[in-house]
């Protein structure tokens, strides 16, 4: 299938060429050439004043099925009986979405001896909790988690499933979508409901955050998405904890499992975890040395925040990979992000530019980090950070 | 050991910038490269082959020019490469891509191990690998930093999760996605590069894979992109200069006002 060009209508104005996010359109004289790599995103169709371009109608042999009854589901991620913060965030967002389509919100809780989390989920917005407990679900593994959620979805027919775009979520949710033969959108940062078609509009960054795309799952259910932690707001006032609990037997199947948990070999020791941190102090190449990360730790401690880093700092061995923020590391969106000695490569910016307030400290006034900062301090980070630490201590009489 | 490495040709993302005035993407001089994470997957495949014996076949789906990426992989030491290319594959979402790749592995006669990078740097979805494992009904271990084999012939994988690193054991065949911690990719060798130039690269299309047009590309996709737009611009920024002490005092005052 390819883009349809009505050559008679085309005026060779070139508007579509500029609009194409993928650079596949070009003008050869007065003729529009559609190159390889078109994703049929339709950006060119919108800008074409002559209406010479169109996206082919999807051949759809099966009509869209009726809306399933199961409502909006949130995968309640937990480890060792402690909920991941993204669970509450997604229950907040699910509550908002469910209101628009007049559906119920349910949480799916998988684990071993995790029933005590049910009231927390109800307070966070779950009107119903599906609970499956089994020793095989005690530690995260793709295979049993995908099997359990697939089975639940087949049985109780959700309209929408949301899960956190955590390492675990991004590992097994695609398997659930594949098992259910339905669409999945990764790492979303915004959701809306198309009221006419009752479709979930899922917005996410692509191309390293340089473009945003809105995606739908038009023909199949459930509509599935993983969502970026720290992006959505939990409910401010808890709902009543008198919802329904549906206990489900997890049946691991007749054959022995193909994967086994052996051991946790390293725990990431974060004083404050990056995921869900309200304040993050991050360092880059400008810190010059591993020992200078102690300064950032001190500042982060004073602000009750976490410490992050750029890829350059991680590659230099100054700080461990799990602290890396950016395209090849974690994505964060704290209330306050202090970028210390970070030049602001596009790959770093995509991991932090949705932070509420960004402070940049850098010697080079032309550093790209200043383009995304709310406040930029031009100067030596190794002088400014110690001065800031002193200032905070002074004001607190420490 | 039959090893398949799935790679993707991507634009070098850092070059893709939005023009702040026209809101169009500046594309001058964008190079196509092998997705950086896939180089770690290929390296791991080559290392497993070197320690366990076997062959490494590289697979990609893309337009005809994706052959360049395969030649580069051959130059790094892969034994064979197959390009999946067909007009019908255009506009594929992660499901349709995974299905096409899974069919190709099947046509290759299956694999004991499939390596993929953590994610591709253009789409950043990290979905194709896990979906392939589901479609093929094989084991999956995501985000590996270490892969070894025990005496039972199973793979032991150390992998990253939000809390740290877990060790898991998976039966073969398995699909393993790797992070950049796993190894240091090698440079191409002169000998392999010479061989890579001449190596025939088969191109498989729809009919070769026994798929029909409704199952692949846009038609076979469950998701659909309805809108593409530039990210919202950030608020106006202020830049301050002065002595470290002045700057620190001003900043602390500002931060206190915020809360």
């Amino acid at each position: 299938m390819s883009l349809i060009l009505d050559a008679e209508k085309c005026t060779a104005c070139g508007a579509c060429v500029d609009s194409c996010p993928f650079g596949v359109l070009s003008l050869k004289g007065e003729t529009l050439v559609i190159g390889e790599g078109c994703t049929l995103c339709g950006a060119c169709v919108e800008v074409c004043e002559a209406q010479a371009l169109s996206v082919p109608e999807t051949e759809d042999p099966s009509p869209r099925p009726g809306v399933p009854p199961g409502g909006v589901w949130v995968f309640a991620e937990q480890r060792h009986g402690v909920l991941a913060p993204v669970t509450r965030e997604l229950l907040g967002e699910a509550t908002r979405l469910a209101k628009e389509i007049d559906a119920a919100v349910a949480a799916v809780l998988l684990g071993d001896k995790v029933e005590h989390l049910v009231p927390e989920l109800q307070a966070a917005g779950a009107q119903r909790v599906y609970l499956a407990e089994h020793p095989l679900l005690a530690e995260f593994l793709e295979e049993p988690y995908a099997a359990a959620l697939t089975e639940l979805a087949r049985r109780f027919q959700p309209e929408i499933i949301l899960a956190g775009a955590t390492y675990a979520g991004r590992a097994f949710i695609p398997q659930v979508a594949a098992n259910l033969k339905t669409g999945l959108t990764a790492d979303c940062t915004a959701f809306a409901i198309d009221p006419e078609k009752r479709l979930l509009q899922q917005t996410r960054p692509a191309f390293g955050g340089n473009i945003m795309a809105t995606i739908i799952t038009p023909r199949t259910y459930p509509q599935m998405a993983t969502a970026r932690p720290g992006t959505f707001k939990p409910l401010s006032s808890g709902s009543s904890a008198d919802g329904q609990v549906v206990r489900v037997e997890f049946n691991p199947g007749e054959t022995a499992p193909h994967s086994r948990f052996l051991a946790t070999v390293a725990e990431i020791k974060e004083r404050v975890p990056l995921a869900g941190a309200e304040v993050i102090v991050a360092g880059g190449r400008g810190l010059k040395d591993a020992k200078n990360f102690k300064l950032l730790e001190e500042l982060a401690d004073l602000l009750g925040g976490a410490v992050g880093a750029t890829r350059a700092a991680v590659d230099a061995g100054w700080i461990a990979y799990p602290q890396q923020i950016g395209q090849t590391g974690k994505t964060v969106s704290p209330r306050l992000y202090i970028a210390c000695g970070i030049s602001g490569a596009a790959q770093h910016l995509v991991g932090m530019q949705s932070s509420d307030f960004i402070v940049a400290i850098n010697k080079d006034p032309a550093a790209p980090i200043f383009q995304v900062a709310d406040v930029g301090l031009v100067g030596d980070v190794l002088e400014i950070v110690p001065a800031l630490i002193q200032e905070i201590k002074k004001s607190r009489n420490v | 050991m039959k090893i398949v490495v799935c790679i993707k040709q991507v634009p070098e993302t850092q070059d893709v910038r939005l023009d702040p005035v026209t809101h169009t993407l500046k594309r001058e001089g964008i190079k196509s490269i092998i997705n950086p994470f896939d180089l770690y997957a290929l390296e791991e495949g080559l290392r497993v082959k070197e320690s366990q014996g076997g062959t490494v076949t590289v697979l990609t789906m893309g337009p005809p020019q994706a052959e360049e990426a395969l030649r580069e992989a051959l130059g790094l030491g892969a034994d064979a490469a197959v390009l999946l290319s067909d007009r019908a594959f255009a506009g594929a979402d992660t499901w349709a891509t995974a299905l096409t790749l899974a069919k190709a592995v099947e046509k290759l006669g299956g694999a004991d191990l499939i390596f993929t990078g953590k994610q591709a740097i253009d789409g950043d979805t990290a979905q194709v690998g896990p979906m392939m494992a589901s479609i093929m009904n094989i084991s999956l271990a995501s985000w590996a930093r270490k892969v070894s084999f025990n005496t039972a012939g199973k793979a032991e994988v150390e992998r990253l999760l939000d809390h740290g690193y877990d060790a898991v054991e998976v039966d073969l065949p398995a699909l393993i996605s790797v992070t950049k911690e796993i190894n240091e990719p090698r440079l191409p060798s002169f000998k392999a590069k010479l061989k890579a130039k001449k190596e025939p690269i088969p191109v498989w299309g729809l009919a070769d894979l026994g798929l029909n047009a409704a199952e692949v590309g846009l038609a076979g996709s469950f998701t659909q992109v309805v809108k593409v737009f530039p990210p919202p611009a950030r608020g106006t920024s202020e830049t301050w200069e002065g002595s470290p002490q002045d700057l620190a005092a001003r900043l602390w005052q500002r931060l206190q006002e915020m809360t």
Side-chain angles (χ1 to χ4, degrees):
Chain A
M1 295 177 78
S2 55
L3 194 64
I4 299 166
L5 168 68
D6 186 338
E8 294 196 351
K9 286 187 186 163
C10 178
T11 60
C13 70
C16 58
V17 177
D18 291 336
S19 76
C20 177
F22 307 100
V24 301
L25 298 177
S26 57
L27 276 174
K28 213 172 189 175
E30 297 284 290
T31 312
L32 183 68
V33 180
I34 303 164
E36 293 281 349
C38 173
T39 67
L40 298 168
C41 73
C44 57
V45 177
E46 272 181 44
V47 301
C48 181
E49 287 184 5
Q51 301 188 332
L53 288 165
S54 56
V55 171
E57 289 287 317
T58 316
E59 297 152 35
D60 187 2
S62 55
R64 192 172 160 217
V67 175
V72 183
W73 285 15
V74 171
F75 167 65
E77 183 168 340
Q78 59 82 29
R79 179 169 184 264
H80 297 177
V82 179
L83 276 188
V86 70
T87 304
R88 279 184 212 88
E89 296 160 16
L90 290 183
L91 281 167
E93 181 67 4
T95 302
R96 191 183 71 77
L97 295 169
K99 258 189 208 127
E100 290 190 43
I101 52 174
D102 198 19
V105 174
V108 178
L109 180 58
L110 308 178
D112 189 27
K113 304 185 184 77
V114 289
E115 193 176 358
H116 66 278
L117 293 174
V118 168
E120 257 182 86
L121 293 170
Q122 289 170 329
Q127 293 160 307
R128 180 179 296 166
V129 178
Y130 295 100
L131 171 66
E133 291 182 304
H134 195 282
L136 281 176
L137 299 169
E139 301 281 351
F140 173 75
L141 270 178
E142 289 88 333
E143 184 185 358
Y145 269 70
L149 185 52
T150 301
E151 176 58 30
L152 278 165
R154 284 199 176 124
R155 217 166 125 191
F156 297 102
Q157 304 282 316
E159 183 174 354
I160 291 170
I161 302 180
L162 306 179
T166 58
Y167 284 111
R170 295 186 74 173
F172 90 101
I173 294 291
Q175 300 212 286
V176 177
N179 294 342
L180 297 172
K181 293 205 168 37
T182 189
L184 170 64
T185 306
D187 203 23
C188 296
T189 54
F191 294 112
I193 300 281
D194 172 350
E196 243 170 74
K197 296 183 180 153
R198 197 184 165 119
L199 283 175
L200 180 67
Q201 296 172 326
Q202 310 152 65
T203 296
R204 67 181 303 265
F207 278 88
N210 285 302
I211 61 173
M212 306 293 291
T214 299
I215 292 164
I216 55 169
T217 296
R219 294 173 304 170
T220 52
Y221 289 108
Q223 304 164 83
M224 294 180 64
T226 60
R228 185 172 289 190
T231 307
F232 298 97
K233 301 279 173 257
L235 294 182
S236 46
S237 56
S239 60
S240 59
D242 57 0
Q244 188 191 0
V245 180
V246 182
R247 191 173 267 287
V248 210
E249 193 88 4
F250 171 60
N251 176 10
E254 300 106 55
T255 50
H258 296 292
S259 52
R260 285 154 294 274
F261 171 82
L262 298 175
T264 293
V265 291
E267 293 260 4
I268 295 166
K269 295 272 187 292
E270 291 174 300
R271 297 168 341 284
V272 177
L274 272 183
E278 297 226 321
V279 176
I280 292 174
V281 181
R285 212 188 293 271
L287 282 185
K288 296 201 172 93
D289 200 326
K291 69 176 196 296
N292 292 326
F293 268 91
K294 290 267 178 279
L295 281 174
L296 300 196
E297 280 172 22
E298 192 179 353
L299 178 58
D301 282 344
L302 287 169
L303 298 171
V307 174
T310 63
R311 177 176 170 174
V314 170
D315 284 354
W318 301 341
I319 186 164
Y321 174 62
Q323 307 305 110
Q324 186 179 318
I325 293 167
Q327 187 168 66
T328 59
K330 288 204 168 85
T331 302
V332 296
S333 52
R335 284 182 46 237
L336 171 63
Y337 191 92
I338 305 181
C340 304
I342 292 175
S343 64
Q347 291 89 336
H348 182 71
L349 300 185
V350 300
M352 47 67 77
Q353 63 193 357
S354 57
S355 305
D356 290 349
F357 194 83
I358 297 172
V359 175
I361 306 173
N362 201 298
K363 261 198 284 210
D364 176 9
I369 189 77
F370 289 123
Q371 307 278 321
V372 302
D374 297 282
V375 169
L377 280 61
V378 181
D380 186 347
V381 67
L382 299 179
E383 288 176 356
I384 294 174
V385 171
L388 180 58
I389 290 169
Q390 287 315 311
E391 196 63 38
I392 298 171
K393 285 184 174 167
K394 200 171 74 191
S395 80
R396 290 181 183 164
N397 294 318
V398 184
Chain B
M1 193 93 73
K2 266 186 96 167
I3 302 157
V4 169
V5 180
C6 298
I7 68 170
K8 184 178 186 186
Q9 192 180 45
V10 297
E12 210 173 14
T13 310
Q14 70 209 73
D15 292 343
V16 183
R17 295 274 169 83
L18 267 188
D19 185 309
V21 182
T22 62
H23 276 175
T24 57
L25 281 145
K26 296 195 222 168
R27 297 180 294 264
E28 296 91 78
I30 299 183
K31 281 198 306 186
S32 284
I33 54 169
I34 294 183
N35 175 44
F37 290 116
D38 300 348
L39 293 174
Y40 299 91
L42 175 57
E43 176 65 31
E44 200 57 23
L46 295 172
R47 287 186 189 196
V48 171
K49 174 197 158 179
E50 283 156 8
S51 69
Q52 312 286 316
T55 57
V56 174
T57 302
V58 189
L59 208 55
T60 195
M61 181 179 110
Q65 60 264 35
E67 186 191 316
E68 290 161 34
L70 294 173
R71 295 241 173 252
E72 193 181 332
L74 289 170
L76 288 163
D79 300 290
V82 179
L83 172 62
L84 312 177
S85 194
D86 195 308
R87 278 269 175 189
F89 298 159
D93 72 352
T94 53
W95 158 264
T97 304
L99 181 69
T100 308
L101 287 167
K103 281 283 175 190
V105 176
E106 194 180 291
K107 187 176 159 76
L108 284 169
D112 301 304
L113 271 174
I114 301 173
F115 284 109
T116 69
K118 173 183 182 244
Q119 67 203 61
I121 63 164
D122 53 354
D124 283 324
T125 72
Q127 287 178 180
V128 171
M131 287 178 171
M132 273 181 81
S134 284
I135 293 166
M136 301 178 69
N137 197 21
I138 62 174
S139 318
L140 168 69
S142 294
W143 330 117
R145 72 163 178 185
K146 192 175 164 198
V147 176
S148 57
F149 299 90
N150 61 28
T151 47
K154 299 178 192 307
E156 287 188 16
V157 179
E158 265 183 45
R159 53 87 161 266
L160 178 64
L161 290 171
D162 286 86
H163 66 264
Y165 295 89
D166 279 3
V168 297
E169 181 192 68
V170 294
D171 297 348
L172 303 188
L175 186 144
I176 298 173
S177 84
V178 307
T179 69
K180 62 171 195 163
E181 294 173 286
I182 197 164
N183 56 42
E184 196 59 57
R186 69 194 63 190
L187 296 169
S189 79
F190 183 66
K191 210 176 115 193
K193 263 177 117 170
L194 272 185
K195 186 171 167 271
K197 269 191 194 159
K198 289 177 286 184
E199 188 74 24
I201 295 180
V203 180
W204 292 348
L206 196 59
D208 301 299
L209 297 180
L211 289 162
N212 67 59
E215 293 174 290
V216 298
L218 185 80
S221 296
F222 294 129
T223 60
Q224 190 184 321
V225 178
V226 287
K227 195 172 141 205
V228 177
F229 57 101
R234 289 200 62 90
T236 48
S237 67
E238 318 165 25
T239 309
W240 302 347
E241 293 182 39
S243 76
Q245 286 69 30
D246 287 348
L247 290 174
R250 230 175 127 185
L251 177 59
W252 180 231
Q253 172 128 28
R254 179 67 172 270
L255 295 181
Q256 284 171 302
E257 284 163 10
M258 274 172 54
T259 44

